[in-house]
Amino acid sequence: MDPGAILAANGMSITRNRVNILNTMKLATVPLSGKEICQRLREGCDKSTVYRTLNTLYNKEVLQRVIIDHEVKYALRSGDRPGNGHDRDHLHFKCSSCGKLFCLTETEVGDYQLPEGFIKEENQFLVIGKCNKCR
Amino acid sequence: MDPGAILAANGMSITRNRVNILNTMKLATVPLSGKEICQRLREGCDKSTVYRTLNTLYNKEVLQRVIIDHEVKYALRSGDRPGNGHDRDHLHFKCSSCGKLFCLTETEVGDYQLPEGFIKEENQFLVIGKCNKCR
DNA sequence: TAATATTTGCAAATGAGTTGCAAAAATACG
DNA sequence: CGTATTTTTGCAACTCATTTGCAAATATTA
Ligand SMILES: [Zn+2]
Ligand SMILES: [Zn+2]
Ligand SMILES: [Zn+2]
Ligand SMILES: [Zn+2]
């Protein structure tokens, strides 16, 4: 789905900033922070606009929030390319040497049983370690 | 191990603030943020001292850092009571209604296989959902 | 105890994220 | 199309957790 269609489908005005932000998200292979999105937007955009847009898209369930270490990041819920969508609660890996982030979409984490009466809504699973370049 | 011994074993001066902070950690059943620790210290202690102490103890591997949502929290690596130690990569649960945090030390999460060449150092596994009081 | 080294409190700085508000842009409508 | 109405934007100022410089206070050493 192209940015214009996503915005229209969610009753949001189609603006240049929003289209640029969505295009940036579509190109990303890992979740991005507000700051990282600001940096990637060639055509300048105020950070308040970026954060407001991310919040709105998150509330409309277009974006997923992913917490990496203690940074808040965002990813499209449905991506066009593998590793681009974040529909499933997949595992993330952050390298403690180079800081690079990886979406481990192929890695299966076994299921677990919560205590009686607890209901899972979302997994926030992050593995910290050394990536294949840094080990 | 008592606070004095922990400090001595790590070549740190034994001060009233540090002893108070370690005692607070020993009493905690869940990881605490710098702010929460400040609030629990009856005998006032400047926040800069609290954060400096937490960092030092983390670097000495006395404390473990646990990220809950996007808050940085700390817990003793080895506790005296069940649920008090954080040696194992146990699962944490945060209730999306009441905000309460739980250490699910009994809950086993299945193992997983990282891609070739990746080495795990630490799991940061958090489940968001409804606790048994709020569901 | 005096000398030296470490820790502390304070106040000021940082940095991500948020907010109020008036100007600018988008949408609705005749 | 224009024009009226609604929404979005940039800016500057703010918040809030955490960090920092520094001189004074405290702990360790000898
Ligand atoms: Zn690496
Ligand atoms: Zn991912
Ligand atoms: Zn609850
Ligand atoms: Zn725990």
PDB file of all heavy atoms in Angstrom, chain D residues 5-17:
ATOM      1  P    DT D   5     -16.779  29.566   7.356  1.00  0.00           P
ATOM      2  OP1  DT D   5     -18.116  29.375   7.955  1.00  0.00           O
ATOM      3  OP2  DT D   5     -15.880  30.663   7.800  1.00  0.00           O
ATOM      4  O5'  DT D   5     -15.987  28.173   7.480  1.00  0.00           O
ATOM      5  C5'  DT D   5     -16.565  26.991   6.908  1.00  0.00           C
ATOM      6  C4'  DT D   5     -15.674  25.801   7.239  1.00  0.00           C
ATOM      7  O4'  DT D   5     -14.467  25.863   6.440  1.00  0.00           O
ATOM      8  C3'  DT D   5     -15.231  25.746   8.694  1.00  0.00           C
ATOM      9  O3'  DT D   5     -15.507  24.428   9.181  1.00  0.00           O
ATOM     10  C2'  DT D   5     -13.744  26.051   8.652  1.00  0.00           C
ATOM     11  C1'  DT D   5     -13.359  25.548   7.260  1.00  0.00           C
ATOM     12  N1   DT D   5     -12.167  26.210   6.657  1.00  0.00           N
ATOM     13  C2   DT D   5     -11.244  25.409   5.994  1.00  0.00           C
ATOM     14  O2   DT D   5     -11.354  24.211   5.895  1.00  0.00           O
ATOM     15  N3   DT D   5     -10.181  26.092   5.452  1.00  0.00           N
ATOM     16  C4   DT D   5      -9.949  27.438   5.500  1.00  0.00           C
ATOM     17  O4   DT D   5      -8.952  27.925   4.958  1.00  0.00           O
ATOM     18  C5   DT D   5     -10.945  28.234   6.200  1.00  0.00           C
ATOM     19  C7   DT D   5     -10.787  29.717   6.328  1.00  0.00           C
ATOM     20  C6   DT D   5     -11.994  27.582   6.740  1.00  0.00           C
ATOM     21  P    DT D   6     -15.082  23.970  10.648  1.00  0.00           P
ATOM     22  OP1  DT D   6     -16.157  23.100  11.184  1.00  0.00           O
ATOM     23  OP2  DT D   6     -14.585  25.158  11.394  1.00  0.00           O
ATOM     24  O5'  DT D   6     -13.832  23.024  10.306  1.00  0.00           O
ATOM     25  C5'  DT D   6     -13.968  21.991   9.320  1.00  0.00           C
ATOM     26  C4'  DT D   6     -12.623  21.303   9.175  1.00  0.00           C
ATOM     27  O4'  DT D   6     -11.686  22.198   8.522  1.00  0.00           O
ATOM     28  C3'  DT D   6     -11.997  20.914  10.514  1.00  0.00           C
ATOM     29  O3'  DT D   6     -11.656  19.545  10.429  1.00  0.00           O
ATOM     30  C2'  DT D   6     -10.801  21.843  10.659  1.00  0.00           C
ATOM     31  C1'  DT D   6     -10.448  22.138   9.206  1.00  0.00           C
ATOM     32  N1   DT D   6      -9.756  23.435   8.947  1.00  0.00           N
ATOM     33  C2   DT D   6      -8.636  23.433   8.133  1.00  0.00           C
ATOM     34  O2   DT D   6      -8.179  22.413   7.628  1.00  0.00           O
ATOM     35  N3   DT D   6      -8.063  24.659   7.927  1.00  0.00           N
ATOM     36  C4   DT D   6      -8.494  25.867   8.442  1.00  0.00           C
ATOM     37  O4   DT D   6      -7.889  26.904   8.171  1.00  0.00           O
ATOM     38  C5   DT D   6      -9.665  25.808   9.287  1.00  0.00           C
ATOM     39  C7   DT D   6     -10.199  27.065   9.906  1.00  0.00           C
ATOM     40  C6   DT D   6     -10.234  24.610   9.500  1.00  0.00           C
ATOM     41  P    DT D   7     -10.781  18.800  11.535  1.00  0.00           P
ATOM     42  OP1  DT D   7     -11.198  17.382  11.536  1.00  0.00           O
ATOM     43  OP2  DT D   7     -10.800  19.627  12.780  1.00  0.00           O
ATOM     44  O5'  DT D   7      -9.309  18.886  10.912  1.00  0.00           O
ATOM     45  C5'  DT D   7      -9.080  18.367   9.599  1.00  0.00           C
ATOM     46  C4'  DT D   7      -7.608  18.507   9.292  1.00  0.00           C
ATOM     47  O4'  DT D   7      -7.281  19.909   9.163  1.00  0.00           O
ATOM     48  C3'  DT D   7      -6.703  17.949  10.394  1.00  0.00           C
ATOM     49  O3'  DT D   7      -5.822  17.049   9.764  1.00  0.00           O
ATOM     50  C2'  DT D   7      -6.028  19.181  10.989  1.00  0.00           C
ATOM     51  C1'  DT D   7      -6.053  20.152   9.815  1.00  0.00           C
ATOM     52  N1   DT D   7      -6.045  21.603  10.153  1.00  0.00           N
ATOM     53  C2   DT D   7      -5.127  22.422   9.533  1.00  0.00           C
ATOM     54  O2   DT D   7      -4.297  22.026   8.738  1.00  0.00           O
ATOM     55  N3   DT D   7      -5.208  23.745   9.872  1.00  0.00           N
ATOM     56  C4   DT D   7      -6.093  24.323  10.760  1.00  0.00           C
ATOM     57  O4   DT D   7      -6.075  25.531  10.974  1.00  0.00           O
ATOM     58  C5   DT D   7      -7.039  23.408  11.378  1.00  0.00           C
ATOM     59  C7   DT D   7      -8.050  23.933  12.357  1.00  0.00           C
ATOM     60  C6   DT D   7      -6.966  22.110  11.052  1.00  0.00           C
ATOM     61  P    DT D   8      -4.562  16.412  10.496  1.00  0.00           P
ATOM     62  OP1  DT D   8      -4.274  15.132   9.832  1.00  0.00           O
ATOM     63  OP2  DT D   8      -4.767  16.477  11.970  1.00  0.00           O
ATOM     64  O5'  DT D   8      -3.401  17.429  10.110  1.00  0.00           O
ATOM     65  C5'  DT D   8      -3.084  17.606   8.736  1.00  0.00           C
ATOM     66  C4'  DT D   8      -1.896  18.536   8.611  1.00  0.00           C
ATOM     67  O4'  DT D   8      -2.229  19.830   9.136  1.00  0.00           O
ATOM     68  C3'  DT D   8      -0.664  18.069   9.361  1.00  0.00           C
ATOM     69  O3'  DT D   8       0.418  18.159   8.443  1.00  0.00           O
ATOM     70  C2'  DT D   8      -0.543  19.043  10.520  1.00  0.00           C
ATOM     71  C1'  DT D   8      -1.158  20.300   9.921  1.00  0.00           C
ATOM     72  N1   DT D   8      -1.761  21.299  10.853  1.00  0.00           N
ATOM     73  C2   DT D   8      -1.389  22.619  10.726  1.00  0.00           C
ATOM     74  O2   DT D   8      -0.572  23.004   9.918  1.00  0.00           O
ATOM     75  N3   DT D   8      -2.014  23.478  11.598  1.00  0.00           N
ATOM     76  C4   DT D   8      -2.961  23.147  12.555  1.00  0.00           C
ATOM     77  O4   DT D   8      -3.463  24.009  13.257  1.00  0.00           O
ATOM     78  C5   DT D   8      -3.307  21.746  12.624  1.00  0.00           C
ATOM     79  C7   DT D   8      -4.319  21.288  13.634  1.00  0.00           C
ATOM     80  C6   DT D   8      -2.697  20.893  11.784  1.00  0.00           C
ATOM     81  P    DT D   9       1.869  17.692   8.841  1.00  0.00           P
ATOM     82  OP1  DT D   9       2.511  17.142   7.641  1.00  0.00           O
ATOM     83  OP2  DT D   9       1.775  16.909  10.091  1.00  0.00           O
ATOM     84  O5'  DT D   9       2.555  19.097   9.170  1.00  0.00           O
ATOM     85  C5'  DT D   9       2.667  20.044   8.127  1.00  0.00           C
ATOM     86  C4'  DT D   9       3.323  21.314   8.641  1.00  0.00           C
ATOM     87  O4'  DT D   9       2.412  21.966   9.539  1.00  0.00           O
ATOM     88  C3'  DT D   9       4.610  21.064   9.408  1.00  0.00           C
ATOM     89  O3'  DT D   9       5.688  21.613   8.661  1.00  0.00           O
ATOM     90  C2'  DT D   9       4.416  21.799  10.734  1.00  0.00           C
ATOM     91  C1'  DT D   9       3.155  22.611  10.533  1.00  0.00           C
ATOM     92  N1   DT D   9       2.228  22.668  11.709  1.00  0.00           N
ATOM     93  C2   DT D   9       1.868  23.880  12.224  1.00  0.00           C
ATOM     94  O2   DT D   9       2.280  24.932  11.795  1.00  0.00           O
ATOM     95  N3   DT D   9       1.004  23.822  13.282  1.00  0.00           N
ATOM     96  C4   DT D   9       0.463  22.688  13.857  1.00  0.00           C
ATOM     97  O4   DT D   9      -0.325  22.759  14.808  1.00  0.00           O
ATOM     98  C5   DT D   9       0.887  21.433  13.262  1.00  0.00           C
ATOM     99  C7   DT D   9       0.375  20.139  13.817  1.00  0.00           C
ATOM    100  C6   DT D   9       1.737  21.473  12.231  1.00  0.00           C
ATOM    101  P    DG D  10       7.202  21.274   9.077  1.00  0.00           P
ATOM    102  OP1  DG D  10       7.986  21.180   7.830  1.00  0.00           O
ATOM    103  OP2  DG D  10       7.222  20.171  10.055  1.00  0.00           O
ATOM    104  O5'  DG D  10       7.603  22.627   9.823  1.00  0.00           O
ATOM    105  C5'  DG D  10       7.522  23.861   9.136  1.00  0.00           C
ATOM    106  C4'  DG D  10       7.773  25.001  10.098  1.00  0.00           C
ATOM    107  O4'  DG D  10       6.709  25.051  11.081  1.00  0.00           O
ATOM    108  C3'  DG D  10       9.076  24.899  10.880  1.00  0.00           C
ATOM    109  O3'  DG D  10       9.674  26.201  10.822  1.00  0.00           O
ATOM    110  C2'  DG D  10       8.644  24.517  12.296  1.00  0.00           C
ATOM    111  C1'  DG D  10       7.247  25.105  12.389  1.00  0.00           C
ATOM    112  N9   DG D  10       6.273  24.384  13.211  1.00  0.00           N
ATOM    113  C8   DG D  10       6.074  23.028  13.268  1.00  0.00           C
ATOM    114  N7   DG D  10       5.097  22.671  14.071  1.00  0.00           N
ATOM    115  C5   DG D  10       4.626  23.872  14.577  1.00  0.00           C
ATOM    116  C6   DG D  10       3.574  24.117  15.510  1.00  0.00           C
ATOM    117  O6   DG D  10       2.822  23.308  16.061  1.00  0.00           O
ATOM    118  N1   DG D  10       3.414  25.477  15.760  1.00  0.00           N
ATOM    119  C2   DG D  10       4.188  26.465  15.186  1.00  0.00           C
ATOM    120  N2   DG D  10       3.888  27.716  15.548  1.00  0.00           N
ATOM    121  N3   DG D  10       5.161  26.257  14.315  1.00  0.00           N
ATOM    122  C4   DG D  10       5.335  24.934  14.065  1.00  0.00           C
ATOM    123  P    DC D  11      11.188  26.420  11.238  1.00  0.00           P
ATOM    124  OP1  DC D  11      11.715  27.412  10.278  1.00  0.00           O
ATOM    125  OP2  DC D  11      11.862  25.110  11.423  1.00  0.00           O
ATOM    126  O5'  DC D  11      11.061  27.122  12.671  1.00  0.00           O
ATOM    127  C5'  DC D  11      10.227  28.281  12.799  1.00  0.00           C
ATOM    128  C4'  DC D  11       9.840  28.466  14.249  1.00  0.00           C
ATOM    129  O4'  DC D  11       8.840  27.499  14.615  1.00  0.00           O
ATOM    130  C3'  DC D  11      10.986  28.254  15.242  1.00  0.00           C
ATOM    131  O3'  DC D  11      11.357  29.521  15.774  1.00  0.00           O
ATOM    132  C2'  DC D  11      10.408  27.335  16.309  1.00  0.00           C
ATOM    133  C1'  DC D  11       8.913  27.371  16.016  1.00  0.00           C
ATOM    134  N1   DC D  11       8.197  26.131  16.398  1.00  0.00           N
ATOM    135  C2   DC D  11       7.047  26.257  17.203  1.00  0.00           C
ATOM    136  O2   DC D  11       6.683  27.380  17.563  1.00  0.00           O
ATOM    137  N3   DC D  11       6.375  25.142  17.573  1.00  0.00           N
ATOM    138  C4   DC D  11       6.808  23.937  17.169  1.00  0.00           C
ATOM    139  N4   DC D  11       6.110  22.868  17.543  1.00  0.00           N
ATOM    140  C5   DC D  11       7.968  23.787  16.346  1.00  0.00           C
ATOM    141  C6   DC D  11       8.627  24.896  15.979  1.00  0.00           C
ATOM    142  P    DA D  12      12.720  29.634  16.669  1.00  0.00           P
ATOM    143  OP1  DA D  12      13.504  30.735  16.081  1.00  0.00           O
ATOM    144  OP2  DA D  12      13.339  28.297  16.835  1.00  0.00           O
ATOM    145  O5'  DA D  12      12.143  30.082  18.070  1.00  0.00           O
ATOM    146  C5'  DA D  12      10.823  30.617  18.197  1.00  0.00           C
ATOM    147  C4'  DA D  12      10.317  30.328  19.599  1.00  0.00           C
ATOM    148  O4'  DA D  12       9.618  29.057  19.627  1.00  0.00           O
ATOM    149  C3'  DA D  12      11.433  30.206  20.628  1.00  0.00           C
ATOM    150  O3'  DA D  12      10.962  30.704  21.883  1.00  0.00           O
ATOM    151  C2'  DA D  12      11.672  28.701  20.691  1.00  0.00           C
ATOM    152  C1'  DA D  12      10.234  28.203  20.572  1.00  0.00           C
ATOM    153  N9   DA D  12      10.113  26.816  20.124  1.00  0.00           N
ATOM    154  C8   DA D  12      10.975  26.096  19.334  1.00  0.00           C
ATOM    155  N7   DA D  12      10.592  24.860  19.116  1.00  0.00           N
ATOM    156  C5   DA D  12       9.395  24.761  19.807  1.00  0.00           C
ATOM    157  C6   DA D  12       8.479  23.704  19.972  1.00  0.00           C
ATOM    158  N6   DA D  12       8.640  22.507  19.423  1.00  0.00           N
ATOM    159  N1   DA D  12       7.393  23.939  20.728  1.00  0.00           N
ATOM    160  C2   DA D  12       7.221  25.147  21.280  1.00  0.00           C
ATOM    161  N3   DA D  12       8.002  26.225  21.183  1.00  0.00           N
ATOM    162  C4   DA D  12       9.089  25.958  20.432  1.00  0.00           C
ATOM    163  P    DA D  13      11.954  30.722  23.179  1.00  0.00           P
ATOM    164  OP1  DA D  13      12.559  32.059  23.208  1.00  0.00           O
ATOM    165  OP2  DA D  13      12.811  29.505  23.180  1.00  0.00           O
ATOM    166  O5'  DA D  13      10.924  30.573  24.399  1.00  0.00           O
ATOM    167  C5'  DA D  13       9.519  30.433  24.167  1.00  0.00           C
ATOM    168  C4'  DA D  13       8.995  29.281  25.002  1.00  0.00           C
ATOM    169  O4'  DA D  13       9.004  28.045  24.234  1.00  0.00           O
ATOM    170  C3'  DA D  13       9.820  28.989  26.259  1.00  0.00           C
ATOM    171  O3'  DA D  13       8.926  28.729  27.341  1.00  0.00           O
ATOM    172  C2'  DA D  13      10.603  27.741  25.884  1.00  0.00           C
ATOM    173  C1'  DA D  13       9.580  27.025  25.008  1.00  0.00           C
ATOM    174  N9   DA D  13      10.166  26.014  24.127  1.00  0.00           N
ATOM    175  C8   DA D  13      11.334  26.090  23.406  1.00  0.00           C
ATOM    176  N7   DA D  13      11.607  25.011  22.723  1.00  0.00           N
ATOM    177  C5   DA D  13      10.538  24.161  23.007  1.00  0.00           C
ATOM    178  C6   DA D  13      10.224  22.855  22.587  1.00  0.00           C
ATOM    179  N6   DA D  13      11.006  22.156  21.754  1.00  0.00           N
ATOM    180  N1   DA D  13       9.091  22.301  23.060  1.00  0.00           N
ATOM    181  C2   DA D  13       8.330  23.006  23.899  1.00  0.00           C
ATOM    182  N3   DA D  13       8.503  24.245  24.358  1.00  0.00           N
ATOM    183  C4   DA D  13       9.643  24.773  23.869  1.00  0.00           C
ATOM    184  P    DC D  14       9.454  28.474  28.838  1.00  0.00           P
ATOM    185  OP1  DC D  14       8.633  29.288  29.743  1.00  0.00           O
ATOM    186  OP2  DC D  14      10.929  28.577  28.840  1.00  0.00           O
ATOM    187  O5'  DC D  14       9.082  26.944  29.092  1.00  0.00           O
ATOM    188  C5'  DC D  14       7.720  26.548  28.926  1.00  0.00           C
ATOM    189  C4'  DC D  14       7.655  25.037  28.905  1.00  0.00           C
ATOM    190  O4'  DC D  14       8.389  24.548  27.767  1.00  0.00           O
ATOM    191  C3'  DC D  14       8.270  24.370  30.132  1.00  0.00           C
ATOM    192  O3'  DC D  14       7.213  23.765  30.872  1.00  0.00           O
ATOM    193  C2'  DC D  14       9.225  23.335  29.580  1.00  0.00           C
ATOM    194  C1'  DC D  14       8.856  23.258  28.093  1.00  0.00           C
ATOM    195  N1   DC D  14       9.995  22.938  27.183  1.00  0.00           N
ATOM    196  C2   DC D  14       9.960  21.719  26.485  1.00  0.00           C
ATOM    197  O2   DC D  14       9.001  20.958  26.647  1.00  0.00           O
ATOM    198  N3   DC D  14      10.987  21.417  25.645  1.00  0.00           N
ATOM    199  C4   DC D  14      12.009  22.276  25.486  1.00  0.00           C
ATOM    200  N4   DC D  14      12.976  21.920  24.642  1.00  0.00           N
ATOM    201  C5   DC D  14      12.061  23.511  26.178  1.00  0.00           C
ATOM    202  C6   DC D  14      11.044  23.803  27.024  1.00  0.00           C
ATOM    203  P    DT D  15       7.594  23.242  32.428  1.00  0.00           P
ATOM    204  OP1  DT D  15       6.375  23.443  33.223  1.00  0.00           O
ATOM    205  OP2  DT D  15       8.906  23.767  32.904  1.00  0.00           O
ATOM    206  O5'  DT D  15       7.765  21.681  32.207  1.00  0.00           O
ATOM    207  C5'  DT D  15       6.720  20.939  31.583  1.00  0.00           C
ATOM    208  C4'  DT D  15       7.256  19.553  31.291  1.00  0.00           C
ATOM    209  O4'  DT D  15       8.278  19.645  30.279  1.00  0.00           O
ATOM    210  C3'  DT D  15       7.901  18.895  32.506  1.00  0.00           C
ATOM    211  O3'  DT D  15       7.174  17.709  32.768  1.00  0.00           O
ATOM    212  C2'  DT D  15       9.331  18.602  32.070  1.00  0.00           C
ATOM    213  C1'  DT D  15       9.250  18.664  30.560  1.00  0.00           C
ATOM    214  N1   DT D  15      10.472  19.083  29.812  1.00  0.00           N
ATOM    215  C2   DT D  15      10.969  18.220  28.868  1.00  0.00           C
ATOM    216  O2   DT D  15      10.488  17.122  28.638  1.00  0.00           O
ATOM    217  N3   DT D  15      12.071  18.690  28.196  1.00  0.00           N
ATOM    218  C4   DT D  15      12.702  19.901  28.366  1.00  0.00           C
ATOM    219  O4   DT D  15      13.675  20.201  27.690  1.00  0.00           O
ATOM    220  C5   DT D  15      12.126  20.763  29.377  1.00  0.00           C
ATOM    221  C7   DT D  15      12.737  22.104  29.640  1.00  0.00           C
ATOM    222  C6   DT D  15      11.053  20.316  30.047  1.00  0.00           C
ATOM    223  P    DC D  16       7.188  17.053  34.259  1.00  0.00           P
ATOM    224  OP1  DC D  16       5.785  16.784  34.599  1.00  0.00           O
ATOM    225  OP2  DC D  16       8.053  17.867  35.148  1.00  0.00           O
ATOM    226  O5'  DC D  16       7.921  15.650  34.038  1.00  0.00           O
ATOM    227  C5'  DC D  16       8.117  15.102  32.730  1.00  0.00           C
ATOM    228  C4'  DC D  16       9.390  14.293  32.727  1.00  0.00           C
ATOM    229  O4'  DC D  16      10.392  14.990  31.944  1.00  0.00           O
ATOM    230  C3'  DC D  16      10.030  14.055  34.100  1.00  0.00           C
ATOM    231  O3'  DC D  16      10.456  12.716  34.148  1.00  0.00           O
ATOM    232  C2'  DC D  16      11.187  15.036  34.125  1.00  0.00           C
ATOM    233  C1'  DC D  16      11.607  14.997  32.652  1.00  0.00           C
ATOM    234  N1   DC D  16      12.411  16.153  32.191  1.00  0.00           N
ATOM    235  C2   DC D  16      13.211  16.007  31.047  1.00  0.00           C
ATOM    236  O2   DC D  16      13.215  14.910  30.451  1.00  0.00           O
ATOM    237  N3   DC D  16      13.944  17.047  30.620  1.00  0.00           N
ATOM    238  C4   DC D  16      13.910  18.206  31.286  1.00  0.00           C
ATOM    239  N4   DC D  16      14.652  19.204  30.810  1.00  0.00           N
ATOM    240  C5   DC D  16      13.112  18.392  32.449  1.00  0.00           C
ATOM    241  C6   DC D  16      12.366  17.341  32.869  1.00  0.00           C
ATOM    242  P    DA D  17      10.945  12.025  35.549  1.00  0.00           P
ATOM    243  OP1  DA D  17       9.981  11.003  35.976  1.00  0.00           O
ATOM    244  OP2  DA D  17      11.359  13.085  36.490  1.00  0.00           O
ATOM    245  O5'  DA D  17      12.240  11.276  35.028  1.00  0.00           O
ATOM    246  C5'  DA D  17      12.079  10.231  34.066  1.00  0.00           C
ATOM    247  C4'  DA D  17      13.401  10.012  33.391  1.00  0.00           C
ATOM    248  O4'  DA D  17      13.873  11.265  32.863  1.00  0.00           O
ATOM    249  C3'  DA D  17      14.510   9.486  34.313  1.00  0.00           C
ATOM    250  O3'  DA D  17      15.170   8.437  33.641  1.00  0.00           O
ATOM    251  C2'  DA D  17      15.401  10.706  34.547  1.00  0.00           C
ATOM    252  C1'  DA D  17      15.212  11.489  33.258  1.00  0.00           C
ATOM    253  N9   DA D  17      15.367  12.942  33.401  1.00  0.00           N
ATOM    254  C8   DA D  17      14.747  13.770  34.298  1.00  0.00           C
ATOM    255  N7   DA D  17      15.083  15.039  34.182  1.00  0.00           N
ATOM    256  C5   DA D  17      15.990  15.041  33.125  1.00  0.00           C
ATOM    257  C6   DA D  17      16.722  16.080  32.505  1.00  0.00           C
ATOM    258  N6   DA D  17      16.638  17.351  32.866  1.00  0.00           N
ATOM    259  N1   DA D  17      17.530  15.740  31.487  1.00  0.00           N
ATOM    260  C2   DA D  17      17.604  14.450  31.106  1.00  0.00           C
ATOM    261  N3   DA D  17      16.971  13.390  31.613  1.00  0.00           N
ATOM    262  C4   DA D  17      16.165  13.759  32.630  1.00  0.00           C
TER     263       DA D  17
END
